[in-house]
Amino acid sequence: MSPAATTAPSAEAIVATGLTKSFGEGEARMTAVGGVDFVAHFGEMVFLVGPSGSGKTTFLSMISGILRPDAGTVKVKGQDIWSLGKDALADFRLNTIGFVFQDYHLFPRLTTAENIAIPLILKERDWNQSIAAAVKVLDVVGLKGRGEILPVKLSGGEQQRVAIARAIVGEPEILILDEPTASLDGDTGKMIIAFVKEKVLNAQRCILIVTHDARINEYADRIVHMEDGRITATDGGTE
Ligand SMILES: Nc1ncnc2c1ncn2[C@@H]1O[C@H](COP(=O)(O)OP(=O)(O)O)[C@@H](O)[C@H]1O
Ligand SMILES: [Mg+2]
């Protein structure tokens, strides 16, 4: 948590160079991400947009330490993440990056509060304190009082908010969200994006959001367009 305060406002949060990933074998082999260079800074909210299948999720997975690239490097706060061993990478992710998966990835047998508390418990925080922190964040995402129910009792949009709450509860310096507003109504989506944006501006964190949702474009500092596994254009910002 403490490094955020010492990071200069325009410092590089994520630097990807020549990032490449292919899937399949033989004739079925296809390049999902083909040689992408990308930089995101602390203190900015970057949107990544592009058609379905253009490689956005694959790209996010590589820059956040979930999917090993075939080629290229990823530096997060200057650390070459794919040079780390498995345990060191897991620790680095836990301490630095909050990730919201496109399909939520909630644990069905845990309550919503327990799901949200997971990152804190993994950091060996006290169980009761972790649950109390989770319950507070539930309020922030508009699910006050829903901490003790199982995710299956929630709508898709509510599960989305639980996933967002889990990603922000540990106050990570870098927050990565894959289509976070897809199943939210316009007002709720805007409320949540406005909230995470306020967090970035206040704490000089870095937020990267994959989205199709033009309703939230006004919150972006920079919009990066992806097509066929490549970055084709960038709107706004200084680059
Ligand atoms: N695990 C995988 N195995 C095989 N193909 C994959 C896998 N993940 C993604 N792909 C393929 O890579 C391409 C990019 O997918 P993805 O990164 O999910 O795109 P997006 O998030 O922009 O919709 C698609 O053609 C998809 O079918
Ligand atoms: Mg995707």
Side-chain angles (χ1 to χ4, degrees), residues 13 38 102 112 122 127 147 184:
F38 173 86
Q102 197 165 354
T112 59
L122 287 174
W127 175 274
L184 302 178

Side-chain angles (χ1 to χ4, degrees), residues 92-108:
F92 187 81
R93 283 189 56 205
L94 181 63
N95 288 311
T96 313
I97 300 173
F99 196 97
V100 178
F101 293 91
Q102 197 165 354
D103 47 6
Y104 326 138
H105 288 208
L106 300 177
F107 293 92

Side-chain angles (χ1 to χ4, degrees), residues 159-174:
Q159 291 183 42
Q160 183 79 288
R161 285 189 260 166
V162 173
I164 290 170
R166 182 177 58 189
I168 62 180
V169 72
E171 304 188 10
E173 290 170 81
I174 298 172

